[in-house]
Amino acid sequence: MKELICIVCPRGCHLQVDEDNGFAVTGNSCPRGAEYGRNEAVHPVRTLTSTVRIEGAPITRLPVRTASAIPKALLFDAMNEINRTSVHAPVKRGQAVIKDLLGTGVDVIATRDL
Amino acid sequence: MSYELIVIGAGPAGLAAALSARKQGLTRIAILERDKYLGGILNQCIHNGFGLHRFREELTGPEYAGRFIDELSGSGIDVFTDTMVLNVTRDKQVHCVSPQYGYRILEAQSVVLAMGCRERTRGAIGIPGDRPSGVFTAGTAQRYLNLEGYLCGKRVLILGSGDIGLIMARRMTLEGAKVLACVEVMPYSGGLSRNIAQCLNDFNIPLYLSHTVTEIRAQNGRISGVTVSKVDENRRPIPGTEMDFECDTLLLSVGLIPENELTRGMGIAIDPRTNGAVVYENMETDLPGVFACGNVAHVHDLVDYVSKESEKAGAAAAKYVLQGPNEGEAIDVINGDGVSYTLPQRIRVSALDGAAEIFFRVRRNYGKAQIEVLSGDESIAVYKRDRLAPGEMESIRLSRELLSKARGEIRVSIKEQ
């Protein structure tokens, strides 16, 4: 039995995941918690947020995030990619600044208009 | 220049209040913001987790702000950035300065105070030791890193387990710093459980509860290390429990103070429990036509609730301008056992459209508990919760019928089961 704190929402439910019983989740308050518990035990993923250099804008950093969650094991490799990236203004919120990050199929997108 | 409503601050509270007043029919609205951009502190909160309640999706701070900023364009609301409000008079003259217009006095029929809060500093918590560089509030380090691109240190200790400190532990780790530990004087964390999980546990950063920093050491003017000691139940350091950490940076995440200089200058009553204005059910202060919302009224943990509360304030400002002041007897809301504050502090039952929502915080962690509302010795309502924590704001709704039974004051208490 694995004990986890759900990170899907600020409620922070205390989950129990039963590895010996098809990763059945208890302690969750919603279906998303059950999904999180199962994923966390089998294949943990996280949304990564950071900034990239931007030129031609009034500030020097553009905030970005992965468009969806990526494997937790890739976080530091993903940071290396993000820190190598530089963009030029104008950039729109939602615009991809890195396509298919590390072959995950997930883009890194801008989170602010600059 | 004269406006129906002037909103001070263009963070999440100010933006929501202005848009809400516009929707309720005001046409002459101005927002005054001292920064160059709209969005306030959300601009530097680049992490995700905002908007789950409001938009049913997980947004970053800039994205959450962006949705409101998009709505502003075309709304006809006047926006003045780079504008510092110096003072507001009781008859709602707003004195402000900006590079573009110089010194101006704007007149308003109603005012929404949405100045947010600032961080407590080392001075506020009195840490002994040297006074070197390298001691930052977590929000300052966040601003340097996320807006300006400077990582302020490589070996970091974090004092206080508020959410900003936890978020910065992860953020600095991802940028290559070594975060040695997070140290919290209380026996529980002040941050959300999910942030302990995804910001500390994910990166194996230890959390020392009931510990504090008892010495700061320096070399060549920069912090070189700190001593951390365990504290007893009265938060006094226990001799013999000292641990030394070598670090070049100490981040402080030790609480927020609502920024109420303007409010005090107007002679508005302040509640010492929230450090914000005393407000009625519609977020109106004791000066008619002046409203306060968001973190300037009380420190929130979720921006979604700031937006909701601020929409209430904006709508109430519109109602004040269009329909005139609220009259009517008020009852006081006070905290009973286990509750550290309640907001609103006063409710005019006759002014309610339906139910009153009461926000409060508890003093400690509880398992299964009952929230009881009392009028005198009589219990008028009971709510059940599976758990309660000081880091998580709670709310209850009280119907107008229920409140009309109350005499003079009501008290919110917690009973553990």
Side-chain angles (χ1 to χ4, degrees):
Chain A
M1 194 71 91
K2 194 170 185 170
E3 304 249 334
L4 297 172
I5 292 170
C6 184
I7 62 168
V8 170
C9 87
R11 186 171 175 145
C13 290
H14 292 248
L15 308 178
Q16 295 88 41
V17 185
D18 191 347
E19 294 107 321
D20 304 326
N21 188 15
F23 299 98
V25 178
T26 49
N28 55 306
S29 310
C30 75
R32 296 171 64 205
E35 191 189 337
Y36 170 78
R38 214 162 24 245
N39 283 342
E40 188 67 8
V42 181
H43 175 60
V45 294
R46 295 285 183 272
T47 296
L48 178 63
T49 64
S50 188
T51 63
V52 299
R53 175 186 294 278
I54 183 164
E55 278 162 32
I59 61 171
T60 57
R61 307 302 300 186
L62 172 73
V64 297
R65 68 172 167 95
T66 54
S68 59
I70 60 169
K72 196 172 145 184
L74 288 180
L75 288 181
F76 284 94
D77 291 336
M79 283 299 292
N80 282 335
E81 286 298 308
I82 287 170
N83 283 341
R84 274 212 299 268
T85 303
S86 181
V87 298
H88 209 282
V91 175
K92 278 288 190 199
R93 197 164 87 231
Q95 181 180 328
V97 298
I98 302 174
K99 287 220 187 304
D100 187 18
L101 174 71
L102 301 169
T104 55
V106 175
D107 292 346
V108 174
I109 60 170
T111 58
R112 182 176 177 179
D113 293 340
L114 273 179
Chain B
M1 274 228 274
S2 156
Y3 287 95
E4 288 170 317
L5 168 64
I6 290 179
V7 177
I8 303 172
L15 293 173
L19 287 166
S20 160
R22 178 74 195 85
K23 279 176 200 142
Q24 296 301 316
L26 295 192
T27 53
R28 286 179 293 118
I29 303 172
I31 306 181
L32 311 182
E33 165 58 46
R34 68 183 168 192
D35 206 344
K36 289 184 163 58
Y37 305 95
L38 305 177
I41 210 72
L42 285 171
N43 286 323
Q44 69 183 61
C45 297
I46 62 163
H47 53 281
N48 57 323
F50 302 89
L52 273 161
H53 290 272
R54 188 182 181 90
F55 297 113
R56 303 263 156 224
E57 53 182 307
E58 201 167 1
L59 303 173
T60 63
E63 289 172 304
Y64 189 94
R67 297 214 173 176
F68 287 85
I69 294 167
D70 288 352
E71 262 193 74
L72 262 189
S73 54
S75 69
I77 295 172
D78 284 350
V79 175
F80 300 104
T81 53
D82 232 341
T83 298
M84 182 77 190
V85 175
L86 302 176
N87 76 298
V88 185
T89 64
R90 284 184 72 85
D91 56 359
K92 306 186 190 76
Q93 289 189 333
V94 179
H95 294 240
C96 54
V97 284
S98 68
Q100 195 180 354
Y101 299 102
Y103 184 97
R104 286 208 295 181
I105 301 171
L106 305 175
E107 284 173 11
Q109 293 172 51
S110 65
V111 173
V112 169
L113 302 169
M115 294 86 76
C117 52
R118 57 173 170 252
E119 296 176 279
R120 293 178 78 203
T121 60
R122 180 176 176 180
I125 54 171
I127 308 173
D130 291 335
R131 290 284 186 270
S133 68
V135 181
F136 301 90
T137 60
T140 301
Q142 187 182 46
R143 185 185 171 95
Y144 286 153
L145 184 53
N146 293 346
L147 295 181
E148 297 170 29
Y150 298 109
L151 182 64
C152 67
K154 292 283 172 59
R155 283 178 67 83
V156 185
L157 190 111
I158 298 178
L159 175 61
S161 61
D163 286 311
I164 314 168
L166 299 176
I167 293 291
M168 282 307 289
R170 172 177 63 183
R171 181 79 184 107
M172 291 187 79
T173 303
L174 285 169
E175 290 290 0
K178 172 76 183 162
V179 178
L180 305 167
C182 180
V183 174
E184 168 63 55
V185 71
M186 301 302 283
Y188 50 82
S189 163
L192 298 172
S193 313
R194 72 193 299 244
N195 285 337
I196 306 275
Q198 64 184 350
C199 298
L200 297 184
N201 300 352
D202 267 10
F203 301 98
N204 302 312
I205 299 167
L207 170 62
Y208 293 102
L209 298 173
S210 297
H211 280 73
T212 194
V213 171
T214 46
E215 196 194 4
I216 293 176
R217 289 180 297 280
Q219 256 171 20
N220 305 322
R222 177 84 186 192
I223 182 170
S224 61
V226 298
T227 302
V228 170
S229 305
K230 195 170 170 37
V231 297
D232 64 18
E233 59 274 13
N234 297 316
R235 286 183 255 162
R236 275 193 297 260
I238 303 170
T241 61
E242 296 85 358
M243 295 183 282
D244 285 345
F245 291 89
E246 271 180 42
C247 60
D248 58 27
T249 302
L250 175 65
L251 293 193
L252 304 177
S253 175
V254 292
L256 301 169
I257 307 169
E259 201 162 330
N260 273 302
E261 283 72 15
L262 293 175
T263 321
R264 288 197 176 85
M266 297 170 80
I268 288 170
I270 301 282
D271 182 343
R273 302 171 306 169
T274 55
N275 289 314
V278 170
V279 292
Y280 287 95
E281 71 294 331
N282 60 353
M283 304 309 292
E284 190 168 17
T285 67
D286 69 348
L287 182 57
V290 178
F291 302 79
C293 56
N295 277 357
V296 82
H298 60 137
V299 178
H300 295 63
D301 23 68
L302 296 183
V303 70
D304 304 61
Y305 297 150
V306 168
S307 302
K308 201 171 158 205
E309 174 180 295
S310 304
E311 284 170 339
K312 190 192 285 182
K319 199 171 170 192
Y320 173 87
V321 170
L322 300 173
Q323 295 174 28
N326 263 305
E327 317 254 305
E329 292 268 306
I331 54 173
D332 290 321
V333 186
I334 59 172
N335 41 299
D337 295 339
V339 174
S340 56
Y341 78 80
T342 56
L343 185 139
Q345 290 87 346
R346 314 199 74 200
I347 298 176
R348 292 171 293 215
V349 179
S350 59
L352 282 175
D353 306 317
E357 198 163 21
I358 297 177
F359 296 94
F360 60 94
R361 280 183 195 275
V362 296
R363 289 188 188 279
R364 62 175 176 88
N365 282 306
Y366 288 89
K368 274 199 187 315
Q370 273 191 352
I371 302 162
E372 196 175 26
V373 182
L374 301 125
S375 174
D377 290 331
E378 192 196 345
S379 171
I380 60 169
V382 171
Y383 306 80
K384 291 195 166 112
R385 292 288 187 277
D386 287 334
R387 48 184 289 276
L388 293 165
E392 293 174 26
M393 198 167 75
E394 276 294 329
S395 70
I396 52 173
R397 290 174 72 82
L398 287 172
S399 70
R400 196 177 161 152
E401 291 72 51
L402 217 56
L403 284 166
S404 55
K405 286 189 227 158
R407 292 285 162 265
E409 62 178 38
I410 58 169
R411 201 162 74 246
V412 181
S413 285
I414 308 299
K415 257 204 265 182
E416 192 143 37
Q417 286 183 304

